[in-house]
Every structure is written in structure tokens, then in C-alpha cells.
Amino acid sequence: MYRLPITNKTPHAFYKIHRTLTSNSIRNSFIEYFCKNHGHKFIKSSSVVPLCDPTVPFVNAGMNQFKGVFLGVVEPPCARAVNSQKCVRVGGKHNDLEVVGMDGHHHTFFEMLGNWSFGDYYKKEACQMAWDLLLGPFRLKPEDLLVTYFGGDVVIGLQEDRECRDIWRSLGVPASRLQARGASDNFWEMGATGPCGACTELHYVGADGSLTEIWNLVFIDCNREGDGSVKRLRRQHVDTGMGLERVAALLQGVHSNYDTDLFRPLMDAIHRNSKGVGAYSGSYEPDAALDQAYRRLADHARMLSVCLADDVFPVASLNLKQIMRKSFKICTDVFQNPQLLNRLYAEVASSLGDTYPELIAKQNDANLIIDHERESYAKLRADLRKKWKGLVQKYPEVETLADIELAGFPLGYTEFKETMSKMKCATIPGEIVFKLYDTHGFPEDVIQRIATLNNVDIDKRGFWNLLARHKSKHKTAFKERAQKELAFDNIIDRLLKSNITRTDDAYKYHYLYENNEVLFQPLQCNLVAIVNEDGEWIDFLDPCETAPYYLVTDRTNFFCEEGGQEADTGLLTISDHVYMKVEKVFKVRDFVFHKGHFVVNRSGGRCYVRCGVGAGVGVRAEVCGARRLRLMQHHTATHLLHAALRRLLPRTALCQTGAAVTPAGLALTLALYGDKLTHQVLLDAEELVRAAIRSDAPVCTRVVDGAWWGGGGGGGAAPLGRAAACLQTLRRLEAQPDTDTDADTDADTDGVLHNVCTAGRRLAEAEVAEAVCEARRAGRRFAVHFVRSSYLLSGEGTAAALAAAPAAPALSALPVLLLACSAGVLRASASVPQVARRR
């Protein structure tokens, strides 16, 4: 904390002046000021789940949803914007978790008020607007404010921002209230990579000379590259951030954010719903453990509530699960109420629900998740208590580590002690440290406590080497993608300089429906770039049929691999003698790259290919229609299945943790909180999906923004919007009167069931036959197979498949054991041919 010399003046009594300024009125005043006075457009807060951005675990600043705009890969929604963004900081570059509760202003969740300029106004206007708001609607005094600006940085290679300094001077800020500071204070970055820039900050000067940062105005004109370098962006933007909690404390005249109207109701609710615990007193003394617990729980309750309302699920977010467990521990051990977190969610929804209505809409689901995680945590603690007694008897010193709650701790500590006793050394080898970390889940601080307790050192260098090797092995695919994007950066920059801004891929949604048939028409486009497998631009090419190439066109009708759906395949025809078989399709910075091999007919002489930036080289793009149709059907079926399960499990919160859409089928991976997924539910869901398919309702496709899709946890955004639309279709079909006679309906049902059973039987028989053939080829004397076909989950299906399998001449003497699992029950069926029995 910075301090200025203390003056003899009396501090302003802000509470008396601004006691009517609630947090809601502060938020509304900020937004109205920029909308009405300066022509900004209000943009609602995005989810706290980053949309297609793996560089941060949560949205940690107001600028995250505009990152693509700053990088120049997405068109801005408007020239000027204003919003209040939900932010979470529990990981990455900005991580405030460990200091929460220890002071009055750090939080895991906060609201960031901000105004934005996307290539419109810049430094002068931004500074003028901020100064006028603080001195006008917020009624602060200029003598109580201090302004800092970027003083330059040799490492980054940027000079002092004298332009910003002179702007503040022109606004009347005296030299005594204007300071230059280095990059650590006045150069803002979202994360390790991404948009960044010099900033200027406005601080409130307390009566004791301490400074409270009010507002940060960032002038985004750079990008931090993956190699650490900083490069200039093509356009200049403004990104400002004012923490609502901090400015509320200032304008309400209280000493801490926890004394504002954003937190006081939570403090009261904690006290009201606890047993034998005193009220919150606001002490920040080192021994004020109870007040620290109040602050930590109130902060975590807000963060957990907002995350759950944005469909972040503990199963998909380790950060969320860990903070939930920290909160349950405080609720149980300090406030003696394991169910306190449910009460606090309701309090957060009451406080912020008008601004963020998803808190109210998702309250039932949130309570289901909280209940599930609380029960899971209670079971963890109970299991640990049982194991702990035996562990303490064997190793009495471990009693001092009783606060550690890790499922793998007893086993890991026992293995550590046994291994070290055999080695008889004073240093824990890197291999053992890594096993404690990776296999048993011990955090580094726990490993250090164990080492200190046992008077041994840690081979940190060996551990870090193993950890780095482990991470590089698991990040190979990500690295390959990053390297590919880096290699293609020069290609994209060259295209941009030629005024080719993107590949228009809207044509991937175009198709015709004629005579009950879906038709995909070829698309005429222009070839604008040829790239070899080393990422090099090629102007003129004698195509080689043995090496892969990448073609970029100005528009395309090919689907990229996105959201679990495989990419299209097809042909790019360049001339009568040359075409490319497209094998993969992917997107980098809004440009679509078609990867494949050329096929050349050289009977007419040599065939050349040239790219056509400005030359208009025509290409005929034709997707494989049969493959695309199967992908479309399975994609729609995925959404129907998700919607059907939501319809059948109304008291369950569903978390989609994965999906795969291929021409062969689909896979939907879900985690459930609430009612369980039984065999009967699966059968009912299957029937609902079939009913939707039989209805032959038209499928409407439209391009929507990320907010429409809803949030998702960790692995990407869950398609909740599409699932909701499918759910409405199912309900509409269910409500429709049945115009068929009972006889017709029965006949139709019997026919469908017959066809399904026949197809299922054939599929089952083929699956078993394939497994048995594989066993024979491997030289095994028997076959054991875990069946995939749902038909085999029934006893009749298994029997039929087993009976059919030995019928093939080569399989007659092979015993077969089939395993299947349904509704948590393992089933087994066996067939032993007569020849094998005689043996």
C-alpha cells in the first residue's frame, strides 16, 4: 500500500454525504453516465466461463469477452460500450484466493464496472470522462485524488507515456498528485499472453496518506506473444475497470468492502444461521480468526453462487470444488451448520438477482449441486476419520497434520514412510515427491509440511524436472496446435495486409431439401493461400501427391471440427486436372484451413496451382454429402437426447462434460446432481427421441452468440440453449392430440419395435462375431468381451448373439464370455460349444 505525507486537513465524512448511494445505485449511475452522456451501448455481463479461451480458468476482468475485438479477429459489437462484468480470480496470473479474508478488499468474486472504446476515442476522452464522473455524480474532491501513469519499461521496450501525463495536467491535476510508475503498477495484462497496454490509475488518498485504487484506465495497443515479446496492435482501444465493491466502500464511507451493503446481509445471514457464534465485529487483528472466517465464507458464497448460476459444475472445475470444500469446512467447524451454504446462496440471489437474473433462475439446480457436494464432502471426512486413527497409531507425529483433508493422504503418507525407511536418506527423492503430487494428489505445500515434520529436505530440482516432463507430455496436442497457429500467423498477417479479413464460412449452413432428400450444393470460391506442411506461403505450386498441403479460400461450405463434431471431408476442385481430397478442416483467427492431398491427372501435361490474392483463382468446394448428413443427424440427436434427459429428470442438474459427433454415432457424457440415471430413464429418453424423430418436425438453424448457448464448466460451453429449444419441441409434441386410431398406433409401435429389435439383433451378432474373430486371430482359446450394443443389455439379446456367434465355421469351438453393465448392475453370459466341453 502506498502512502502520501499526512496533512492536517480533516477527512471528508463520506458516509453522511453519500449514505443514499447503495451498490445498485452506484452501478446504475455508472452505466447511465456513459450511456446517456457519452453514447455508449450497454453490453450485459458475459458468463464467468471464458468462451473458447483456454488461457484463463475464469473471466477475470471486464475485457475478457472483448478479447477477440482487441486482437482484431472479431468485429466489435459497437464503437463504445459500458457494462458491469462478473469476475472470478482464483487461478492464473490474477489469483487472490489466499489473501481473501485477511484484508478488506481482496475477493474471489467481484463486479468490474467498465467503459470501452473499440478504435473510437482514446486517451484524452477516456481521462476526461473518468475525471468528470468522479467529480460529478460521485462527488469526490480533486484534492483527495492521486493519478498514476506508465513511466516506461526497459525490458518491455516501451517509453514513458508522456501523452497521458500531459492530458492529466491539462485537466488540472497538479504535479504533487501525478506520479509515473513502472510496468508492475501501470502496465496491464489479462494473463501470460493476450492484449495488454499501458494504463493510468486513479487513487483515493486516505486521511493517513494511504491510497485506495478506484479506477484503472487501460490503453490497449499491444499484445503479449507466447514467446514473451510485446507487439503493437493495429488499432488502439480503451478498456477501463472500476471495482464495484471497492468504490461502494469509498462512497458509502465505510472502512472495508465487507462493511458495504453487498456483504452486510451475508454477514447477518451467517450469524443468524450459525450456532453459538458471536456476530461479526470487523476486526483485522492477526488473531481475529472468527472475523476472518466470516469474511472468507461471505466472499466464497458470492463466488460459488455466481459460478453455479453460470453453469460451472464442480465435476468440471477443480477450483470450484476446492473452494466449495473450504466453505463446507468453515460452515461445519466454525459456524456449526453444514447446510449454511444453501442459505447463503439465497441471500446472494436476493442481493444480485435483479442485476444477474440467472442467480434466481438456477437456484434449484444450485441447491441440488450444493447438497450433493456437501454429502460427498461429509463422506470424505468420515472415511478419513476412520483411516486416521490407524495412521496416528502407526505414525504418532502425523497428528499435527490433522487439518489436511485429502482422500489419498493416509495411503500416500504410509507409502512415503515405508519408502523413506528403506532408503535411509535425509532428502526426499524427486521421484517420491512427484508420486505424492501426481498419484496421491498432495499439493506442494502439504509435501513441504511432511518434509518439515520428518526433518528431511526435498529434491525440488528433481521434482520440477519430472513435473515439467509430465506436463509437456500431456500438453503435446495443445503445443502442436499453438505451434501451428504460430506458424500460420505470418500467413494470416499477409492475408490481412491484402484486405482479406476472414474466411466467410456461413455457407456451411446452406443446403436444399427436395423430394425428402437433403442436398449440399458445391460452392464457387477463390483460392487465396497455399501453405505447405512447414507453414510456408507458396505462390506457385507443382502439386505433389505425397505431401499434405493447406488451402485457404475466401469462403467455404466446409464445417470445422468444433464442439465435439468432426470436420467435413470432401473435394476442392481447382481445374479439370487437379483437385484436393480434403481430410481435415480447422480454423485459426477466423481463417479456415483445408488440409489434404492433391490428386493430379498429368495426362494433359504439367499441372500448376497458384494462389490468388487479388488474382481470383476459382475453386469448387464440395463437401461429402453422405458424411455431412450423418453428422447433422447425430448432432441433432445429441441435442434431442440432452433435452429428453432434462425433461425426464426435472429434479436433477445435468452437467455436460463431453460430447462426440461422428458419422458413425454420438456420445454424450453427463454428470448428474439429483435423481439418478436409471435404465428406465434411458429407455424413456430413447422413446422421447424416437417420437421427436417420427414427428418429422423441421430443424431450424441459426447463428447465435455465445451468451445464447449458456455457460459450461471447464471443458467448454454446454449447449443449454439448443437443449432448451429441443425440450420445447418435445413438450409441444407431447401436448399434441393423437389423431391416429389406437389400432394404427399399436401397429406403428409394433412395426417400430420389430425394426429396432431386428437391427439391434444384427448389430449385436456382428459385435460378438467381431470380438470372437479377434480372439481367434490373437491365438486365444476363449473370448471375453464387454459389449457396447444396447441390445445386448437384455438377456434375450445376449442369448441370441451367443447362439449366432459360433455359427460361423471358424468360430465353432471357441468359448465366449460376454459382460454388460446396466443401471450399475454387471451382467455376464457365457457360451461353451460342445467341442470345447469335450476338451
Side-chain angles (χ1 to χ4, degrees):
M1 179 177 289
Y2 299 97
R3 295 182 184 275
L4 291 179
I6 299 177
T7 64
N8 294 324
K9 65 177 183 176
T10 303
H12 292 281
F14 281 102
Y15 179 73
K16 292 182 180 180
I17 298 175
H18 299 294
R19 59 184 175 183
T20 59
L21 280 180
T22 65
S23 56
N24 282 335
S25 65
I26 294 170
R27 186 193 299 113
N28 293 337
S29 294
F30 184 92
I31 294 171
E32 288 178 5
Y33 171 80
F34 284 99
C35 287
K36 294 182 178 180
N37 294 4
H38 299 289
H40 288 61
K41 178 181 178 181
F42 172 68
I43 304 292
K44 67 170 290 188
S45 171
S46 70
S47 165
V48 296
V49 182
L51 185 63
C52 304
D53 185 359
T55 64
V56 288
F58 291 99
V59 167
N60 61 6
M63 62 83 64
N64 290 55
Q65 66 171 307
F66 304 120
K67 181 177 177 180
V69 176
F70 298 140
L71 290 175
V73 298
V74 177
E75 288 299 313
C78 53
R80 303 179 175 198
V82 61
N83 82 339
S84 177
Q85 173 65 47
K86 298 175 292 186
C87 299
V88 172
R89 291 186 178 176
V90 294
K93 180 178 182 292
H94 302 282
N95 187 356
D96 297 332
L97 178 59
E98 295 306 317
V99 295
V100 168
M102 306 302 292
D103 60 26
H105 58 274
H106 279 101
H107 304 292
T108 54
F109 164 76
F110 63 94
E111 293 181 72
M112 185 68 85
L113 304 173
N115 60 289
W116 318 84
S117 167
F118 305 118
D120 186 10
Y121 62 82
Y122 201 43
K123 296 180 182 180
K124 181 178 181 180
E125 295 87 347
C127 294
Q128 181 75 63
M129 293 174 190
W131 195 246
D132 290 346
L133 175 62
L134 293 180
L135 271 57
F138 288 169
R139 291 182 286 177
L140 298 181
K141 304 295 183 182
E143 60 268 24
D144 293 328
L145 300 175
L146 177 134
V147 179
T148 63
Y149 66 94
F150 181 55
D153 189 275
V154 176
V155 176
I156 299 177
L158 298 178
Q159 297 180 347
E160 178 185 10
D161 191 353
R162 295 180 180 177
E163 178 188 4
C164 182
R165 179 200 63 188
D166 293 341
I167 289 170
W168 286 119
R169 286 178 176 175
S170 69
L171 293 176
V173 178
S176 61
R177 287 293 189 264
L178 190 58
Q179 294 181 1
R181 291 187 181 157
S184 60
D185 294 312
N186 281 81
F187 191 85
W188 195 91
E189 301 184 67
M190 186 184 76
T193 61
C196 54
C199 63
T200 180
E201 297 177 338
L202 296 104
H203 303 260
Y204 177 76
V205 184
D208 60 351
S210 62
L211 300 181
T212 300
E213 180 190 330
I214 304 173
W215 207 343
N216 188 3
L217 316 181
V218 184
F219 309 122
I220 294 183
D221 59 355
C222 299
N223 185 59
R224 175 75 74 172
E225 304 292 329
D227 61 1
S229 64
V230 174
K231 294 183 179 179
R232 293 286 186 181
L233 295 172
R234 292 185 300 277
R235 300 180 69 186
Q236 298 172 327
H237 309 280
V238 172
D239 157 27
T240 85
M242 172 190 286
L244 175 63
E245 293 77 9
R246 193 172 296 187
V247 75
L250 175 63
L251 298 185
Q252 292 175 11
V254 295
H255 297 291
S256 158
N257 298 358
Y258 293 96
D259 297 313
T260 66
D261 61 345
L262 290 165
F263 284 92
R264 286 305 312 193
L266 285 168
M267 300 301 192
D268 295 340
I270 294 172
H271 181 242
R272 220 172 33 246
N273 292 279
S274 62
K275 299 178 181 178
V277 176
Y280 176 68
S281 66
S283 173
Y284 289 89
E285 295 299 324
D287 60 348
L290 178 60
D291 282 344
Q292 291 174 11
Y294 264 106
R295 290 189 289 268
R296 189 175 290 268
L297 182 57
D299 169 88
H300 290 356
R302 282 167 35 101
M303 178 266 183
L304 296 172
S305 299
V306 168
C307 286
L308 293 176
D310 275 348
D311 296 304
V312 184
F313 292 87
V315 69
S317 172
L318 181 60
N319 284 320
L320 181 62
K321 180 179 281 289
Q322 289 177 337
I323 292 178
M324 289 190 83
R325 289 187 170 179
K326 290 177 182 286
S327 301
F328 288 134
K329 182 177 178 65
I330 298 173
C331 291
T332 303
D333 295 353
V334 179
F335 297 107
Q336 304 297 308
N337 184 355
Q339 297 181 335
L340 181 53
L341 208 54
N342 299 77
R343 306 284 190 274
L344 297 183
Y345 183 99
E347 199 65 49
V348 175
S350 175
S351 171
L352 299 178
D354 288 341
T355 305
Y356 307 113
E358 57 272 17
L359 282 161
I360 298 173
K362 293 297 179 68
Q363 187 162 351
N364 289 336
D365 282 0
N367 281 323
L368 288 171
I369 297 169
I370 293 171
D371 290 342
H372 176 93
E373 291 298 319
R374 183 182 62 250
E375 293 168 5
S376 175
Y377 175 69
K379 185 177 183 302
L380 168 67
R381 298 190 87 180
D383 291 344
L384 279 175
R385 279 195 295 269
K386 293 177 183 178
K387 297 175 182 177
W388 198 264
K389 293 180 181 179
L391 188 66
V392 172
Q393 288 178 353
K394 194 171 183 179
Y395 306 109
E397 77 279 1
V398 83
E399 185 70 43
T400 61
L401 304 178
D403 61 306
I404 297 174
E405 294 181 337
L406 295 170
F409 185 82
L411 179 61
Y413 190 82
T414 300
E415 186 174 325
F416 157 76
K417 292 290 289 188
E418 292 175 352
T419 304
M420 291 299 293
S421 65
K422 296 174 184 177
M423 300 181 68
K424 297 181 180 179
C425 62
T427 301
I428 310 176
E431 295 83 358
I432 297 177
V433 179
F434 180 74
K435 188 170 186 180
L436 291 173
Y437 177 88
D438 184 58
T439 303
H440 299 291
F442 287 22
E444 291 184 60
D445 64 317
V446 170
I447 298 174
Q448 183 61 59
R449 289 179 63 184
I450 291 172
T452 303
L453 180 65
N454 288 271
N455 297 314
V456 293
D457 295 324
I458 296 175
D459 177 14
K460 293 183 178 180
R461 183 181 296 275
F463 165 67
W464 288 335
N465 287 337
L466 288 170
L467 183 60
R469 197 181 309 165
H470 172 77
K471 288 182 176 180
S472 65
K473 187 185 301 182
H474 284 74
K475 291 184 177 179
T476 300
F478 179 78
K479 280 187 174 181
E480 288 178 352
R481 179 180 175 184
Q483 290 171 355
K484 181 185 294 183
E485 292 187 4
L486 188 62
F488 290 152
D489 269 350
N490 291 333
I491 306 296
I492 293 172
D493 288 342
R494 185 166 175 175
L495 289 168
L496 292 171
K497 290 177 182 177
S498 302
N499 293 323
I500 301 175
T501 59
R502 59 188 294 271
T503 300
D504 183 1
D505 62 347
Y507 300 92
K508 64 188 178 185
Y509 300 114
H510 293 189
Y511 59 88
L512 298 177
Y513 186 68
E514 295 179 353
N515 300 321
N516 293 325
E517 188 176 358
V518 179
L519 304 175
F520 303 93
Q521 293 184 315
L523 177 69
Q524 288 299 130
C525 48
N526 293 320
L527 180 62
V528 297
I530 305 171
V531 186
N532 65 17
E533 57 184 329
D534 296 322
E536 298 171 333
W537 178 288
I538 299 174
D539 290 304
F540 199 72
L541 174 69
D542 184 2
C544 170
E545 298 182 77
T546 58
Y549 288 89
Y550 305 88
L551 300 187
V552 181
T553 53
D554 61 346
R555 53 184 186 167
T556 185
N557 51 359
F558 280 75
F559 253 105
C560 299
E561 183 170 350
E562 292 176 319
Q565 177 174 322
E566 290 187 1
D568 283 333
T569 60
L571 302 176
L572 290 179
T573 302
I574 299 168
S575 69
D576 293 339
H577 305 291
V578 181
Y579 65 88
M580 172 187 271
K581 284 186 175 180
V582 178
E583 299 154 2
K584 290 185 179 180
V585 188
F586 57 89
K587 185 182 292 186
V588 179
R589 290 172 54 186
D590 271 4
F591 284 92
V592 176
F593 288 76
H594 308 80
K595 179 183 179 182
H597 288 76
F598 284 108
V599 176
V600 184
N601 178 9
R602 299 189 184 276
S603 60
R606 300 191 68 179
C607 303
Y608 295 100
V609 178
R610 60 187 175 89
C611 69
V613 176
V617 177
V619 174
R620 186 171 183 262
E622 186 174 1
V623 302
C624 175
R627 175 186 171 88
R628 165 71 77 82
L629 182 58
R630 291 193 297 270
L631 287 168
M632 290 171 62
Q633 291 168 337
H634 295 150
H635 193 145
T636 301
T638 303
H639 290 296
L640 286 171
L641 176 58
H642 195 174
L645 292 173
R646 290 170 66 86
R647 172 72 176 84
L648 294 165
L649 298 170
R651 295 184 300 275
T652 300
L654 274 67
C655 169
Q656 179 178 327
T657 58
V661 178
T662 72
L666 64 92
L668 183 63
T669 308
L670 299 168
L672 285 75
Y673 299 88
D675 294 342
K676 303 303 180 184
L677 187 62
T678 64
H679 189 196
Q680 187 58 49
V681 170
L682 288 176
L683 294 175
D684 292 343
E686 191 173 334
E687 183 52 40
L688 273 175
V689 174
R690 283 189 179 135
I693 295 172
R694 286 196 301 266
S695 72
D696 202 23
V699 177
C700 299
T701 303
R702 60 192 175 106
V703 181
V704 297
D705 59 23
W708 186 83
W709 281 78
L720 300 180
R722 185 72 65 86
C726 293
L727 186 58
Q728 291 176 358
T729 301
L730 291 176
R731 287 172 176 162
R732 187 173 67 252
L733 292 172
E734 188 178 47
Q736 286 179 349
D738 190 354
T739 57
D740 296 330
T741 63
D742 291 341
D744 290 340
T745 302
D746 292 341
D748 179 64
T749 302
D750 290 342
V752 171
L753 289 177
H754 173 75
N755 291 335
V756 170
C757 291
T758 301
R761 184 178 68 252
R762 290 174 180 170
L763 180 63
E765 292 170 2
E767 183 178 336
V768 174
E770 180 184 355
V772 175
C773 286
E774 177 60 30
R776 294 282 294 185
R777 285 193 295 268
R780 295 195 293 271
R781 299 179 61 184
F782 58 89
V784 178
H785 179 62
F786 194 96
V787 294
R788 300 185 301 272
S789 172
S790 60
Y791 177 78
L792 291 178
L793 293 178
S794 66
E796 296 81 359
T798 304
L802 286 171
L811 311 179
S812 56
L814 197 64
V816 182
L817 173 64
L818 298 182
L819 302 173
C821 186
S822 173
V825 178
L826 184 66
R827 300 181 181 181
S829 298
S831 173
V832 182
Q834 291 296 328
V835 176
R837 291 173 185 166
R838 288 196 295 271
R839 291 178 184 170

PDB file of all heavy atoms in Angstrom, residues 715-732:
ATOM      1  N   GLY A 715     -14.553 -27.791 -19.562  1.00  0.00           N
ATOM      2  CA  GLY A 715     -14.337 -28.324 -20.861  1.00  0.00           C
ATOM      3  C   GLY A 715     -15.007 -27.592 -21.970  1.00  0.00           C
ATOM      4  O   GLY A 715     -15.018 -28.036 -23.098  1.00  0.00           O
ATOM      5  N   GLY A 716     -15.611 -26.450 -21.766  1.00  0.00           N
ATOM      6  CA  GLY A 716     -16.261 -25.713 -22.818  1.00  0.00           C
ATOM      7  C   GLY A 716     -17.683 -25.453 -22.512  1.00  0.00           C
ATOM      8  O   GLY A 716     -18.272 -26.011 -21.600  1.00  0.00           O
ATOM      9  N   ALA A 717     -18.359 -24.585 -23.326  1.00  0.00           N
ATOM     10  CA  ALA A 717     -19.725 -24.185 -23.053  1.00  0.00           C
ATOM     11  C   ALA A 717     -20.677 -25.308 -23.369  1.00  0.00           C
ATOM     12  O   ALA A 717     -20.610 -25.941 -24.401  1.00  0.00           O
ATOM     13  CB  ALA A 717     -20.083 -22.952 -23.866  1.00  0.00           C
ATOM     14  N   ALA A 718     -21.599 -25.590 -22.453  1.00  0.00           N
ATOM     15  CA  ALA A 718     -22.618 -26.602 -22.693  1.00  0.00           C
ATOM     16  C   ALA A 718     -23.728 -26.018 -23.540  1.00  0.00           C
ATOM     17  O   ALA A 718     -24.137 -24.887 -23.332  1.00  0.00           O
ATOM     18  CB  ALA A 718     -23.180 -27.084 -21.356  1.00  0.00           C
ATOM     19  N   PRO A 719     -24.243 -26.788 -24.520  1.00  0.00           N
ATOM     20  CA  PRO A 719     -25.263 -26.247 -25.425  1.00  0.00           C
ATOM     21  C   PRO A 719     -26.636 -26.203 -24.770  1.00  0.00           C
ATOM     22  O   PRO A 719     -27.579 -26.846 -25.221  1.00  0.00           O
ATOM     23  CB  PRO A 719     -25.213 -27.221 -26.597  1.00  0.00           C
ATOM     24  CG  PRO A 719     -24.765 -28.499 -26.004  1.00  0.00           C
ATOM     25  CD  PRO A 719     -23.821 -28.138 -24.898  1.00  0.00           C
ATOM     26  N   LEU A 720     -26.780 -25.447 -23.707  1.00  0.00           N
ATOM     27  CA  LEU A 720     -28.032 -25.420 -22.972  1.00  0.00           C
ATOM     28  C   LEU A 720     -29.137 -24.735 -23.756  1.00  0.00           C
ATOM     29  O   LEU A 720     -30.302 -25.106 -23.658  1.00  0.00           O
ATOM     30  CB  LEU A 720     -27.831 -24.711 -21.628  1.00  0.00           C
ATOM     31  CG  LEU A 720     -26.798 -25.364 -20.709  1.00  0.00           C
ATOM     32  CD1 LEU A 720     -26.697 -24.578 -19.420  1.00  0.00           C
ATOM     33  CD2 LEU A 720     -27.163 -26.796 -20.411  1.00  0.00           C
ATOM     34  N   GLY A 721     -28.784 -23.716 -24.536  1.00  0.00           N
ATOM     35  CA  GLY A 721     -29.801 -23.042 -25.330  1.00  0.00           C
ATOM     36  C   GLY A 721     -30.431 -23.971 -26.334  1.00  0.00           C
ATOM     37  O   GLY A 721     -31.652 -24.032 -26.482  1.00  0.00           O
ATOM     38  N   ARG A 722     -29.598 -24.730 -27.050  1.00  0.00           N
ATOM     39  CA  ARG A 722     -30.119 -25.670 -28.030  1.00  0.00           C
ATOM     40  C   ARG A 722     -30.924 -26.768 -27.332  1.00  0.00           C
ATOM     41  O   ARG A 722     -31.957 -27.192 -27.829  1.00  0.00           O
ATOM     42  CB  ARG A 722     -28.953 -26.278 -28.812  1.00  0.00           C
ATOM     43  CG  ARG A 722     -29.372 -27.193 -29.946  1.00  0.00           C
ATOM     44  CD  ARG A 722     -29.974 -26.396 -31.102  1.00  0.00           C
ATOM     45  NE  ARG A 722     -28.990 -25.521 -31.704  1.00  0.00           N
ATOM     46  CZ  ARG A 722     -28.142 -25.915 -32.666  1.00  0.00           C
ATOM     47  NH1 ARG A 722     -28.148 -27.143 -33.101  1.00  0.00           N
ATOM     48  NH2 ARG A 722     -27.291 -25.050 -33.168  1.00  0.00           N
ATOM     49  N   ALA A 723     -30.429 -27.241 -26.173  1.00  0.00           N
ATOM     50  CA  ALA A 723     -31.162 -28.272 -25.455  1.00  0.00           C
ATOM     51  C   ALA A 723     -32.528 -27.766 -25.019  1.00  0.00           C
ATOM     52  O   ALA A 723     -33.524 -28.492 -25.065  1.00  0.00           O
ATOM     53  CB  ALA A 723     -30.353 -28.737 -24.231  1.00  0.00           C
ATOM     54  N   ALA A 724     -32.593 -26.503 -24.593  1.00  0.00           N
ATOM     55  CA  ALA A 724     -33.876 -25.936 -24.180  1.00  0.00           C
ATOM     56  C   ALA A 724     -34.844 -25.863 -25.356  1.00  0.00           C
ATOM     57  O   ALA A 724     -36.041 -26.134 -25.213  1.00  0.00           O
ATOM     58  CB  ALA A 724     -33.657 -24.539 -23.588  1.00  0.00           C
ATOM     59  N   ALA A 725     -34.320 -25.504 -26.539  1.00  0.00           N
ATOM     60  CA  ALA A 725     -35.178 -25.455 -27.721  1.00  0.00           C
ATOM     61  C   ALA A 725     -35.711 -26.844 -28.066  1.00  0.00           C
ATOM     62  O   ALA A 725     -36.882 -27.011 -28.411  1.00  0.00           O
ATOM     63  CB  ALA A 725     -34.398 -24.875 -28.901  1.00  0.00           C
ATOM     64  N   CYS A 726     -34.833 -27.847 -27.951  1.00  0.00           N
ATOM     65  CA  CYS A 726     -35.278 -29.221 -28.204  1.00  0.00           C
ATOM     66  C   CYS A 726     -36.311 -29.653 -27.172  1.00  0.00           C
ATOM     67  O   CYS A 726     -37.278 -30.353 -27.492  1.00  0.00           O
ATOM     68  CB  CYS A 726     -34.081 -30.171 -28.174  1.00  0.00           C
ATOM     69  SG  CYS A 726     -32.905 -29.936 -29.513  1.00  0.00           S
ATOM     70  N   LEU A 727     -36.109 -29.228 -25.932  1.00  0.00           N
ATOM     71  CA  LEU A 727     -37.049 -29.578 -24.876  1.00  0.00           C
ATOM     72  C   LEU A 727     -38.425 -28.996 -25.152  1.00  0.00           C
ATOM     73  O   LEU A 727     -39.455 -29.654 -24.943  1.00  0.00           O
ATOM     74  CB  LEU A 727     -36.512 -29.067 -23.529  1.00  0.00           C
ATOM     75  CG  LEU A 727     -37.300 -29.471 -22.278  1.00  0.00           C
ATOM     76  CD1 LEU A 727     -37.391 -30.984 -22.169  1.00  0.00           C
ATOM     77  CD2 LEU A 727     -36.621 -28.904 -21.048  1.00  0.00           C
ATOM     78  N   GLN A 728     -38.476 -27.757 -25.652  1.00  0.00           N
ATOM     79  CA  GLN A 728     -39.768 -27.168 -26.011  1.00  0.00           C
ATOM     80  C   GLN A 728     -40.441 -27.965 -27.122  1.00  0.00           C
ATOM     81  O   GLN A 728     -41.663 -28.157 -27.116  1.00  0.00           O
ATOM     82  CB  GLN A 728     -39.558 -25.723 -26.450  1.00  0.00           C
ATOM     83  CG  GLN A 728     -39.146 -24.793 -25.316  1.00  0.00           C
ATOM     84  CD  GLN A 728     -38.855 -23.388 -25.802  1.00  0.00           C
ATOM     85  OE1 GLN A 728     -38.936 -23.117 -26.996  1.00  0.00           O
ATOM     86  NE2 GLN A 728     -38.502 -22.498 -24.885  1.00  0.00           N
ATOM     87  N   THR A 729     -39.654 -28.453 -28.074  1.00  0.00           N
ATOM     88  CA  THR A 729     -40.217 -29.274 -29.156  1.00  0.00           C
ATOM     89  C   THR A 729     -40.822 -30.549 -28.601  1.00  0.00           C
ATOM     90  O   THR A 729     -41.925 -30.958 -28.987  1.00  0.00           O
ATOM     91  CB  THR A 729     -39.122 -29.603 -30.182  1.00  0.00           C
ATOM     92  OG1 THR A 729     -38.602 -28.388 -30.713  1.00  0.00           O
ATOM     93  CG2 THR A 729     -39.675 -30.458 -31.317  1.00  0.00           C
ATOM     94  N   LEU A 730     -40.114 -31.199 -27.679  1.00  0.00           N
ATOM     95  CA  LEU A 730     -40.625 -32.431 -27.091  1.00  0.00           C
ATOM     96  C   LEU A 730     -41.928 -32.179 -26.339  1.00  0.00           C
ATOM     97  O   LEU A 730     -42.877 -32.967 -26.434  1.00  0.00           O
ATOM     98  CB  LEU A 730     -39.584 -33.023 -26.135  1.00  0.00           C
ATOM     99  CG  LEU A 730     -38.306 -33.574 -26.775  1.00  0.00           C
ATOM    100  CD1 LEU A 730     -37.336 -34.036 -25.691  1.00  0.00           C
ATOM    101  CD2 LEU A 730     -38.612 -34.724 -27.719  1.00  0.00           C
ATOM    102  N   ARG A 731     -41.982 -31.084 -25.602  1.00  0.00           N
ATOM    103  CA  ARG A 731     -43.206 -30.770 -24.859  1.00  0.00           C
ATOM    104  C   ARG A 731     -44.364 -30.475 -25.801  1.00  0.00           C
ATOM    105  O   ARG A 731     -45.507 -30.863 -25.539  1.00  0.00           O
ATOM    106  CB  ARG A 731     -42.951 -29.570 -23.947  1.00  0.00           C
ATOM    107  CG  ARG A 731     -42.088 -29.910 -22.734  1.00  0.00           C
ATOM    108  CD  ARG A 731     -41.689 -28.676 -21.968  1.00  0.00           C
ATOM    109  NE  ARG A 731     -40.937 -29.017 -20.769  1.00  0.00           N
ATOM    110  CZ  ARG A 731     -40.175 -28.169 -20.095  1.00  0.00           C
ATOM    111  NH1 ARG A 731     -40.068 -26.923 -20.523  1.00  0.00           N
ATOM    112  NH2 ARG A 731     -39.527 -28.553 -19.020  1.00  0.00           N
ATOM    113  N   ARG A 732     -44.059 -29.772 -26.904  1.00  0.00           N
ATOM    114  CA  ARG A 732     -45.112 -29.471 -27.868  1.00  0.00           C
ATOM    115  C   ARG A 732     -45.650 -30.755 -28.506  1.00  0.00           C
ATOM    116  O   ARG A 732     -46.864 -30.921 -28.686  1.00  0.00           O
ATOM    117  CB  ARG A 732     -44.566 -28.539 -28.950  1.00  0.00           C
ATOM    118  CG  ARG A 732     -45.644 -28.036 -29.901  1.00  0.00           C
ATOM    119  CD  ARG A 732     -45.115 -26.977 -30.859  1.00  0.00           C
ATOM    120  NE  ARG A 732     -44.156 -27.513 -31.790  1.00  0.00           N
ATOM    121  CZ  ARG A 732     -42.852 -27.277 -31.757  1.00  0.00           C
ATOM    122  NH1 ARG A 732     -42.362 -26.492 -30.813  1.00  0.00           N
ATOM    123  NH2 ARG A 732     -42.034 -27.801 -32.639  1.00  0.00           N
TER     124      ARG A 732
END
